Amino acid sequence: MQNYQIQPVGFIQSPYKQKFAIPRQPRLVPQAKAKLVFCGDFNREEFVRGIEEFTHLWLLFRFHETADKGYSALVRPPRLGGNERKGVFATRATFRPNGIGMSAVKLEGVEYKNAQLALLLSGIDLLDGTPIVDIKPYLPYSDAMIDASAGFADTRPETLMTVSFSEQAEQFIAKQTRYPELKEFIINVLKQDPRPAYKKQKQQTQFYGMSLYEFNIRWQVDGEHNQVIEITRE
Ligand code: SAH
């Protein structure tokens, strides 16, 4: 067996500070903005010359948070309610040999500021601090397959959940000015229903928390409804 060494070309700065509540694929929440900050030898504009001609990029990255937990041949895709098992190579599960993830994301811009090269991205599904191992332009003529079908994951996950905000949450959002899209962002994250599959069958009210940017967000789930109870600064 041949072993390879891979070094990151950069790291992701993301509003998603923990795995819980990150959407299961990119582009489901367009307000999820991130910065890809280049490191070491890769912090040079030559590496990205011409990249702004592309609207979308493929990111190859390391599932760094879970990589040391290894892999299994069979996994339970959340799409199947967590009950049925599929082969890891028939899924996009994070627990896989080599722990490599890939996401097609939108390129919003290229930044070179204070001798630091960065790509501005949106629609990401990546945890803060994710190491990026490669970047490639998305090629619609080859990568977009309109006749493709995808079995148990053929359609975009349904977002039937509704979202409302408490008085406190509304005021908190209105007062902060740093993230103009904060409300839309929270709504779209909660509409994805981040709860684990087995919790979705439960009837009673459930309480959850997540951090986005520097905020702690607490909400309650009642049937198909999410009510954001409280937002605080960390
Ligand atoms: N689009 C990628 C990721 C799919 S799995 C692919 O298909 O390969 C998506 C999940 O990855 C998210 O819900 C999030 O919880 C998890 N995730 C994102 N970044 C991660 C990281 N750095 N380490 C471990 N898990 C991560």
Side-chain angles (χ1 to χ4, degrees), residues 123-137:
I124 56 120
D125 58 347
L126 306 175
L127 187 63
D128 192 38
T130 297
I132 301 297
V133 297
D134 204 359
I135 302 160
K136 304 189 191 203

Side-chain angles (χ1 to χ4, degrees), residues 19 22-26 61-66 92 94 101-103 125-127 130:
K19 274 186 53 182
I22 302 182
R24 301 231 163 79
Q25 284 303 333
F61 61 92
R62 176 95 168 142
F63 287 116
H64 74 301
E65 184 102 334
T66 48
R92 302 288 282 260
T94 55
M102 61 176 221
S103 295
D125 58 347
L126 306 175
L127 187 63
T130 297

Side-chain angles (χ1 to χ4, degrees), residues 156-170:
R156 202 185 153 98
E158 279 182 347
T159 49
L160 302 170
M161 303 286 281
T162 51
V163 182
S164 67
F165 293 80
S166 71
E167 193 65 30
Q168 188 277 343
E170 288 280 7

Side-chain angles (χ1 to χ4, degrees), residues 149-193:
S149 54
F152 65 87
D154 204 34
T155 53
R156 202 185 153 98
E158 279 182 347
T159 49
L160 302 170
M161 303 286 281
T162 51
V163 182
S164 67
F165 293 80
S166 71
E167 193 65 30
Q168 188 277 343
E170 288 280 7
Q171 282 174 8
F172 188 98
I173 291 168
K175 260 197 242 148
Q176 66 80 37
T177 49
R178 195 159 170 205
Y179 309 105
E181 294 181 322
L182 184 59
K183 187 169 180 181
E184 273 313 291
F185 187 22
I186 295 171
I187 291 174
N188 283 330
V189 168
L190 295 189
K191 273 190 170 175
Q192 306 297 318
D193 195 359

Side-chain angles (χ1 to χ4, degrees), residues 61-127:
F61 61 92
R62 176 95 168 142
F63 287 116
H64 74 301
E65 184 102 334
T66 48
D68 60 350
K69 301 214 171 77
Y71 61 91
S72 45
L74 289 169
V75 298
R76 299 168 194 268
R79 282 297 192 119
L80 298 170
N83 303 320
E84 223 181 300
R85 288 168 185 241
K86 297 279 181 189
V88 67
F89 295 138
T91 76
R92 302 288 282 260
T94 55
F95 300 99
R96 52 200 314 121
N98 298 315
I100 300 283
M102 61 176 221
S103 295
V105 300
K106 187 153 193 254
L107 176 64
E108 302 279 355
V110 181
E111 186 184 87
Y112 192 72
K113 228 164 58 183
N114 304 325
Q116 180 60 65
L117 179 64
L119 299 180
L120 309 178
L121 308 168
S122 68
I124 56 120
D125 58 347
L126 306 175
L127 187 63

